[in-house]
Each structure stands twice: as C-alpha cells, then as structure tokens.
Amino acid sequence: MIPVHFRKPLWKLLAAGGLAVAVTGCSISGVEKTATSPIDAPPAAVENQMLQAADDAMAPMGSSAIADGLTVYLKDSKGYVAPMTLDRSKQESATGQNAPEIEALAWMTADAKLAGQLPPGFTPVLPKGTVVSKVVKNPEAGSVTVDFAKPLSGIPASDERKALEAIVWTMTELPGIDKVHLTVAGQDMTELPASGLPVPGVLTRNIGINLERSPQVKVSESMAVTLYFSAKNEQGDGYFVPVTRLVERQSDRARAALSELIKGPQDTKSLEAVMLANTKVEELALKSDTVQVKLQEQDWAAGMPMPAEMMEGLVLTLTEATGAPKVAVAVNGSTKLTGADSETYEQPVERPAQINAFTG
C-alpha cells in the first residue's frame, strides 16, 4: 500500500520540520458518533432517493501507481467501503488471466485462495460461494451487466447496501463505464434478499457510498456530495475513504463538496480530516476540463510544503463532484506549491487512475 503521510496539517509545524502526527478531524455541530456504531444506516427514503438518482459520474483519470493495477472496493475493519488498487499479476498467477471485471469480482468474493492478496484489515463484501455467471460490457452505452448465478444470499441485511455500493463503484472504475445493471440468472435483480432494498435497473455512483445521516438536513431538500477523508489500518498504513453526505440542496455542487470537506468527517474516531477547519474558499470555478480553486490559509506562507493528503483529498473530492479530470490549486494567491517530498503542484493536478495502491 502506498501510505498517506498522516501529518497534522498545521503549516507552521510543517515549516519548522515537525514530525508526522495524526490528523484530527472536526465534527459537524450536533452530530456525534460512537466507536461501536461508526456508520448509521440511512433511512429508507434516503436510500431509495439515492438509488434512483440519474446523474452520471466520471470514472477516475490520471497516472498509475501499479503497472497493471485494478481498483476494487472492499470493507475495512471499521465497516467502511473503500477503494484498494491491487496488482492483477498476483491474481493471474493463481487463477489464470481473466477480464478485469471478472478479476475485480473475484477479489470482492470471500475466497481463501485470494485472501492473502488483500491489504491487512480489508475483507471482501460478497460471501463465499458467490458465482458470477457472466459480465457483459457495452462500451457504446458506457454500461456493464453483472449476472449472478443465484440471489446474493448470506449477506447480513446491514451489509447488503455496502455490497451494492462496492459492486457499483468497482465497476465504474473501469474505463468508459458509468452505469451498472445487475441480474440474477438472466433476470433483473429487483431487490436485495435480506433487507428488501429495491435495486433499480440502472445503477450509477449516485447511489452514494458510506452514506452519512444528518438530522439537520431534510431529505426532501437535500443533495449528495462525496468527500474523501483519510483513515489508517492497524499497521498504520494510510488510505482514503469516500463518504457520501447529504447537504442542503444548492446550485454549486463543487463548492458544497469543498465546504463539507473542510468541515471534516462526522466519525472522528475512524476517519481523519484532510484540511484545516479554518480554510476559506476565495474562488471556485470549472474552466474547460479543470476545477480552479483559490484558498485562503492564514498560517501558510510561500515556500511552506503542502500536505500530500490535503492535495489528494481535495483533488479526489472536487473531481468526483464535477466530473472534471484536473484541479488547479492556489493558496493565498500563490500557485507555486510543493509537497514535503518536493513534488510540485504548480500545474493542474490530475485525478489518479488508482486510489490506495497496495503493493503487498
């Protein structure tokens, strides 16, 4: 796994060469999470609304960290569904070369032969014995159909939604795919067996992932934004977790997403903020294929390094919200930004093709 360096994002500490310490998140006022229940199940109205959303989502773009990597969504030790990019060559040596969508579903299915290829603390979302009869891609329509041999029984009702999210978000990582159709023995999958949650004929990323419920927001007046926070496994390796949060409906989705990213995660026991809570957004605009954002940070001065987790979380969140492949960042009017490893951010930063690459 390529670790996210968990530095506390205080510019003065970075400028002084401070040691890496954990980021502390900021809770939204009035929302408390407990260690025993890190993710609240959203109400049925929220699930149905998000499952029926019609907007398309952009698949990731950018550079690769593994020569032949494949991004799959697995469940971490805290119960979140998170992307992990795995090395296809390792699976091919054990099972033979298959299409990437077949290999992805194999990693997402409990199998003792493949368990050792998964990152520590991560588990498949589909039970042992799950059989995929076939996967059919339709590049012209940007869709993929996954046909299961039998209903997805054996998944607890509380985890069925997570399994659905993992399948949809994994399939839409494939180039050119933004819609997913699920069938069972050739017939449309209309609901999940244990929970009875309805499954629309066309699924996109608008179903959300790791849904957050906030009592301050009325479902009928809400919209969803997906934010990328950081987390660590028991070995201390860092990774990003996407969280879909319902917010008050507004015209500028990108600005809404950035505002929520700055607020930080609700579940501060499992997730960590990637930005300071006092960061101000001076300007945010989509120009051509690039999101241009200007931030104000009172504790930052020219020459100070930018935390890598901040830049990565910012780019992932804004490209998810807009579908644009790149983000150009300025802080206090300066675009001459560099990371602690001397990486430069002066040019627009592309969304990575691989997230949370695991090299074993």
Side-chain angles (χ1 to χ4, degrees):
M1 180 183 301
I2 295 179
V4 176
H5 298 289
F6 289 87
R7 306 177 183 88
K8 191 172 184 179
L10 296 175
W11 310 111
K12 292 180 180 178
L13 288 180
L14 284 169
L19 297 177
V21 293
V23 177
T24 301
C26 304
S27 297
I28 293 180
S29 176
V31 179
E32 296 293 335
K33 297 286 180 178
T34 64
T36 57
S37 181
I39 307 174
D40 289 338
V46 176
E47 291 189 331
N48 291 339
Q49 174 187 338
M50 300 189 74
L51 282 169
Q52 294 169 3
D55 293 337
D56 292 338
M58 169 73 78
M61 301 178 67
S63 59
S64 301
I66 298 176
D68 193 12
L70 184 61
T71 301
V72 301
Y73 284 71
L74 306 167
K75 189 169 70 172
D76 72 5
S77 61
K78 303 173 183 68
Y80 286 98
V81 177
M84 283 288 147
T85 299
L86 308 178
D87 189 346
R88 292 183 65 195
S89 66
K90 294 183 178 180
Q91 188 179 138
E92 289 169 359
S93 63
T95 64
Q97 187 171 0
N98 289 308
E101 56 271 18
I102 297 295
E103 292 180 352
L105 289 164
W107 268 317
M108 296 168 65
T109 302
D111 184 340
K113 295 180 180 179
L114 300 178
Q117 299 174 14
L118 304 183
F122 285 81
T123 54
V125 295
L126 299 175
K128 181 180 179 180
T130 299
V131 176
V132 177
S133 298
K134 61 180 178 179
V135 179
V136 179
K137 288 194 293 186
N138 185 340
E140 291 76 16
S143 66
V144 62
T145 298
V146 180
D147 184 51
F148 293 95
K150 57 184 180 179
L152 297 176
S153 58
I155 305 176
S158 59
D159 282 348
E160 281 189 330
R161 167 84 197 197
K162 297 174 185 177
L164 187 67
E165 293 170 358
I167 294 170
V168 173
W169 283 65
T170 296
M171 292 297 103
T172 53
E173 290 285 351
L174 299 172
I177 300 299
D178 56 18
K179 294 179 283 293
V180 181
H181 181 210
L182 301 182
T183 59
V184 178
Q187 302 298 312
D188 289 347
M189 182 186 294
T190 58
E191 66 177 19
L192 298 177
S195 64
L197 184 68
V199 179
V202 177
L203 292 156
T204 72
R205 288 193 171 202
N206 288 284
I207 67 170
I209 188 168
N210 298 316
L211 307 185
E212 285 185 344
R213 180 179 63 182
S214 176
Q216 293 94 337
V217 177
K218 295 182 180 179
V219 175
S220 61
E221 301 173 358
S222 69
M223 59 182 275
V225 292
T226 297
L227 321 169
Y228 284 78
F229 298 116
S230 58
K232 283 190 283 190
N233 63 12
E234 294 181 356
Q235 287 69 34
D237 294 321
Y239 56 97
F240 286 101
V241 176
V243 172
T244 299
R245 178 179 295 172
L246 291 184
V247 300
E248 291 185 5
R249 189 176 300 148
Q250 48 198 281
S251 60
D252 193 335
R253 183 180 297 274
R255 185 174 287 271
L258 182 51
S259 175
E260 296 301 318
L261 185 69
I262 292 171
K263 289 179 182 179
Q266 292 181 4
D267 176 16
T268 57
K269 289 183 172 63
S270 302
L271 303 175
E272 300 175 338
V274 297
M275 301 186 72
L276 286 172
N278 62 358
T279 302
K280 305 298 182 184
V281 182
E282 180 181 305
E283 183 178 329
L284 181 62
L286 177 60
K287 297 183 179 180
S288 185
D289 64 348
T290 303
V291 182
Q292 297 186 346
V293 58
K294 297 180 181 179
L295 304 174
Q296 284 290 329
E297 175 48 62
Q298 62 182 5
D299 292 326
W300 184 85
M304 291 183 180
M306 303 294 296
E309 67 271 19
M310 170 192 157
M311 293 298 297
E312 292 174 37
L314 180 66
V315 169
L316 289 168
T317 297
L318 289 178
T319 54
E320 193 76 58
T322 63
K326 296 182 289 186
V327 178
V329 183
V331 178
N332 297 349
S334 175
T335 59
K336 295 183 178 180
L337 309 176
T338 58
D341 56 358
S342 298
E343 181 178 1
T344 180
Y345 302 118
E346 290 188 42
Q347 299 300 317
V349 181
E350 291 190 348
R351 181 184 176 99
Q354 300 176 4
I355 308 172
N356 301 329
F358 176 62
T359 56

